[in-house]
Amino acid sequence: MHLITSFLNKNNFPIHKTWPFKVLVFCIFFCFIFALIGAAYFDDHNIKEKDQQVVIALSQKPSTLDPRFATDAVGMRIGNLIFHSLVRLDRNLKVVSSLAQKWSCSKKVCSFHIPKGVTFSNSSPLTAEDIQFSFDQYRLKKSPFYSAFQSIKKVDVQENKKELIVTIYLKYFSATFLSADLPVLRILSKKEALEGRLVGSGPFVLIAEDSNQIHLRARENSMIKNIIFKVIRDDLTRFQKVLRGELDIVQSELPFSSIEKIKKLQKDYHVFQRAGLSMNYLLINMQDPTFRDLEVRRALAFAIDRESIIQHKLKGFARKAESILNDENSFFSKNLTYNYNLKKAQSILEKQGLKQKKIQLKTSSNQEVVSYAKVIAEGFRKAGFQVELKSYEWGTFYGDLKKGQFQLALLRWVGVFDPDIYRLAFHSLEVPPQGRNRGFYKNKQLDTLLTAGQKEFDLQERKQIYKKVQQIVSSDLPIIPLWHNQQTAVVKKDIQGYFLPANGSYDFLLSISRK
């Protein structure tokens, strides 16, 4: 206060030793002190907020976060953070608890026990009606997951003082029901869903979403409070942001050439790698007159130099694919594969009278995908086609696929571990808009096998069924398998507790912290 009175004296302020003046000086002094304390508090608060935030890079925005319609990998992974299922898969693809704390399954009946006290992010309690509503939504014919839940005969939800008991009666045994189907069924708040708001009971709540960013906030006690998914569509920009330290985690969203550079630079990041469950492939529109001919599809397969792309474009971070399943999968069957043979491709097109035939190859605008699409297109040109390569923003590209507005397209199946993926990809009941048979492939013999494989209880019999399935698909070529990607992640060194899940999920967000 002495400093303040001295300042007033020097500047000829009238000073009267009266109580109003003393009160004024006292107030000015304490305002000054509080301002200093406040500045220090907010600086400290900002530091803590930064410590409690993680920024994760995405190359594209998910088409929707509505779990009833999200079929792209990123949308489903983020949905897993916002919504609970009855059960889920852990980092090693083992079935573990989500809402249900215990469960039991026989051939045709599964029972799940959910403790009382579960609430949605708006604090409303989970009810039997919410669970019944959620099952009803996924069983609608318009649902892309409709076929996965055709095995359900009835869902009964009972409530007592301690728990909710969900009993599911099946029409027939389903080998995929517990491990592959049920984990994708998210539990919704009926009231909020009917009003167009998506409210979940999961560990995170959606705070904001726009074309460039998705903001989630932790509901539970967590070292990391805020998750920011930043959509950075350009590969080079994503890489530069890593070099500048602007991103905390980039999981399977960097070109392999960038991964190599980060390793050599030894920046403030750890690089994680593991065998991947994703398979890149060429999708063929089986409704297109040119590609209904198996010989023409064989010409495409012979014209793709996969080994060269893996070595030069993917820097060895991939293995050649023969099946959607990788060779470590217990259901994998070695079958007919097409090695690069340009002369055979040229000979086929010559015989079919298709030299200089115009075709179109579509891709997303992801630069890494475009780079190897150019190599594939050049192989088709050498074989004898005239190729137009077109790349689109993800939403447009994905929309064209669902409408069948393409001839050839480059895609990826993500997180593949169960052979039932063949039913999703090729069963005639799975054609869009309901399903994911985006090549519109139809084969009655294959349909029969795929249905049998889903219902088969005996493991060895099931393996025999899927051996035949893989042979038919490999011979008929509705898709051309290209390679299995290795999973990678670039993670800031001050992030603790990170692990790279086998299925590429974001489950690590439940356990990480900063130093």
Side-chain angles (χ1 to χ4, degrees):
M1 281 196 287
H2 176 71
L3 290 173
I4 295 171
T5 54
S6 299
F7 171 78
L8 295 173
N9 277 322
K10 287 179 183 178
N11 288 275
N12 298 317
F13 282 92
I15 300 177
H16 302 286
K17 303 294 185 179
T18 60
W19 71 266
F21 172 75
K22 291 180 180 179
V23 170
L24 174 64
V25 172
F26 184 82
C27 290
I28 293 171
F29 174 74
F30 277 98
C31 284
F32 176 70
I33 295 299
F34 284 141
L36 289 175
I37 293 170
Y41 167 77
F42 284 113
D43 281 347
D44 185 54
H45 179 71
N46 288 337
I47 290 169
K48 285 181 179 177
E49 279 292 303
K50 190 175 179 182
D51 285 345
Q52 295 172 351
Q53 175 176 293
V54 165
V55 180
I56 302 174
L58 298 177
S59 60
Q60 60 202 21
K61 188 176 182 295
S63 56
T64 179
L65 291 180
D66 187 331
R68 296 170 295 179
F69 306 104
T71 56
D72 60 279
V74 175
M76 294 179 79
R77 288 168 182 167
I78 295 177
N80 196 41
L81 301 172
I82 302 171
F83 301 90
H84 274 126
S85 306
L86 292 180
V87 293
R88 64 183 181 87
L89 298 179
D90 70 4
R91 69 174 85 176
N92 297 313
L93 307 178
K94 180 184 175 183
V95 177
V96 296
S97 170
S98 183
L99 274 179
Q101 292 302 301
K102 59 180 181 178
W103 61 90
S104 60
C105 277
S106 65
K107 277 191 175 183
K108 290 188 179 181
V109 181
C110 288
S111 182
F112 302 87
H113 298 257
I114 304 170
K116 276 290 190 70
V118 175
T119 61
F120 291 102
S121 59
N122 64 354
S123 299
S124 63
L126 171 69
T127 67
E129 191 177 15
D130 294 318
I131 296 170
Q132 190 71 60
F133 170 79
S134 301
F135 272 89
D136 291 345
Q137 289 289 291
Y138 279 79
R139 296 173 69 193
L140 292 173
K141 285 194 174 181
K142 68 178 182 180
S143 168
F145 305 102
Y146 169 72
S147 69
F149 299 104
Q150 278 188 306
S151 60
I152 295 177
K153 181 179 181 180
K154 185 178 76 169
V155 178
D156 178 66
V157 189
Q158 298 295 323
E159 188 170 355
N160 59 40
K161 291 181 180 180
K162 293 184 178 180
E163 61 185 3
L164 291 160
I165 303 170
V166 184
T167 306
I168 303 171
Y169 299 92
L170 302 175
K171 300 172 191 172
Y172 47 81
F173 170 76
S174 170
T176 62
F177 185 72
L178 189 64
S179 62
D181 300 332
L182 207 53
V184 306
L185 193 151
R186 316 295 186 194
I187 304 302
L188 307 159
S189 165
K190 178 180 178 179
K191 180 178 181 297
E192 300 293 340
L194 290 176
E195 292 175 358
R197 293 187 295 272
L198 295 172
V199 173
S201 61
F204 291 87
V205 59
L206 177 65
I207 299 299
E209 175 190 9
D210 59 36
S211 59
N212 297 313
Q213 184 169 292
I214 297 169
H215 178 191
L216 305 185
R217 187 167 180 84
R219 291 184 63 208
E220 304 165 357
N221 293 329
S222 172
M223 295 295 291
I224 302 298
K225 299 296 183 187
N226 294 289
I227 309 298
I228 308 296
F229 290 97
K230 280 198 175 294
V231 183
I232 307 163
R233 295 171 178 84
D234 180 72
D235 286 345
L236 180 58
T237 303
R238 222 175 302 123
F239 174 59
Q240 289 172 336
K241 284 183 177 289
V242 169
L243 296 185
R244 293 197 295 266
E246 296 177 20
L247 301 172
D248 295 311
I249 299 171
V250 188
Q251 182 172 283
S252 298
E253 295 281 17
L254 280 172
F256 296 124
S257 56
S258 297
I259 299 288
E260 274 200 321
K261 290 175 185 175
I262 292 167
K263 274 184 169 182
K264 289 175 182 176
L265 289 170
Q266 294 185 328
K267 296 289 287 183
D268 299 328
Y269 289 87
H270 290 297
V271 175
F272 293 80
Q273 294 173 229
R274 72 176 295 171
L277 297 176
S278 298
M279 192 275 291
N280 287 70
Y281 64 99
L282 178 75
L283 177 65
I284 301 170
N285 189 339
M286 300 293 283
Q287 297 181 124
D288 187 276
T290 301
F291 299 112
R292 285 179 190 155
D293 188 336
L294 174 59
E295 286 300 297
V296 179
R297 301 198 296 274
R298 291 180 69 240
L300 292 175
F302 285 129
I304 301 174
D305 189 352
R306 293 178 290 176
E307 287 87 350
S308 178
I309 295 171
I310 290 168
Q311 182 181 352
H312 299 294
K313 290 290 181 181
L314 302 175
K315 306 298 180 183
F317 284 85
R319 288 186 293 183
K320 191 170 76 169
E322 296 182 5
S323 164
I324 300 180
L325 308 172
N326 68 27
D327 58 10
E328 295 176 4
N329 192 297
S330 64
F331 286 91
F332 172 77
S333 174
K334 287 186 178 180
N335 45 51
L336 185 61
T337 186
Y338 291 80
N339 293 316
Y340 179 58
N341 192 326
L342 188 58
K343 286 184 178 179
K344 275 190 178 181
Q346 290 169 337
S347 174
I348 290 170
L349 294 186
E350 188 76 50
K351 287 178 183 177
Q352 301 300 112
L354 291 175
K355 285 283 188 179
Q356 300 308 305
K357 173 72 176 178
K358 291 182 180 178
I359 62 172
Q360 188 180 82
L361 172 61
K362 285 189 176 183
T363 77
S364 71
S365 55
N366 180 285
Q367 288 150 311
E368 185 181 28
V369 176
V370 172
S371 72
Y372 59 70
K374 289 178 179 177
V375 179
I376 291 171
E378 183 57 31
F380 294 161
R381 290 189 187 101
K382 289 178 179 177
F385 284 115
Q386 285 189 40
V387 187
E388 181 185 28
L389 179 58
K390 303 282 284 186
S391 61
Y392 299 89
E393 180 273 328
W394 173 254
T396 303
F397 175 60
Y398 192 61
D400 283 353
L401 293 178
K402 290 194 288 187
K403 295 172 189 172
Q405 295 176 355
F406 70 98
Q407 284 186 299
L408 304 171
L410 288 177
L411 283 169
R412 179 187 302 171
W413 277 109
V414 177
V416 176
F417 68 95
D418 191 279
D420 190 56
I421 187 70
Y422 277 88
R423 180 180 58 83
L424 300 177
F426 302 116
H427 199 291
S428 59
L429 293 178
E430 288 289 325
V431 296
Q434 285 85 8
R436 285 167 276 179
N437 177 358
R438 300 183 184 110
F440 299 86
Y441 176 65
K442 295 182 180 180
N443 182 317
K444 288 183 179 179
Q445 181 191 2
L446 190 70
D447 284 353
T448 301
L449 286 168
L450 292 171
T451 301
Q454 187 187 24
K455 297 178 181 180
E456 181 54 58
F457 181 76
D458 184 86
L459 179 61
Q460 294 308 314
E461 283 296 320
R462 197 167 181 241
K463 285 184 177 181
Q464 288 304 310
I465 289 170
Y466 285 107
K467 181 178 180 180
K468 293 174 185 176
V469 164
Q470 290 172 81
Q471 288 171 345
I472 289 171
V473 171
S474 183
S475 298
D476 219 9
L477 287 176
I479 66 168
I480 298 173
L482 299 175
W483 52 80
H484 295 284
N485 281 68
Q486 189 172 44
Q487 284 199 98
T488 61
V490 174
V491 181
K492 261 196 180 169
K493 289 182 178 178
D494 70 336
I495 301 266
Q496 294 181 312
Y498 175 83
F499 57 86
L500 182 53
N503 59 358
S505 75
Y506 299 132
D507 285 357
F508 58 82
L509 291 171
L510 301 173
S511 62
I512 61 172
S513 61
R514 286 191 182 274
K515 287 184 182 178

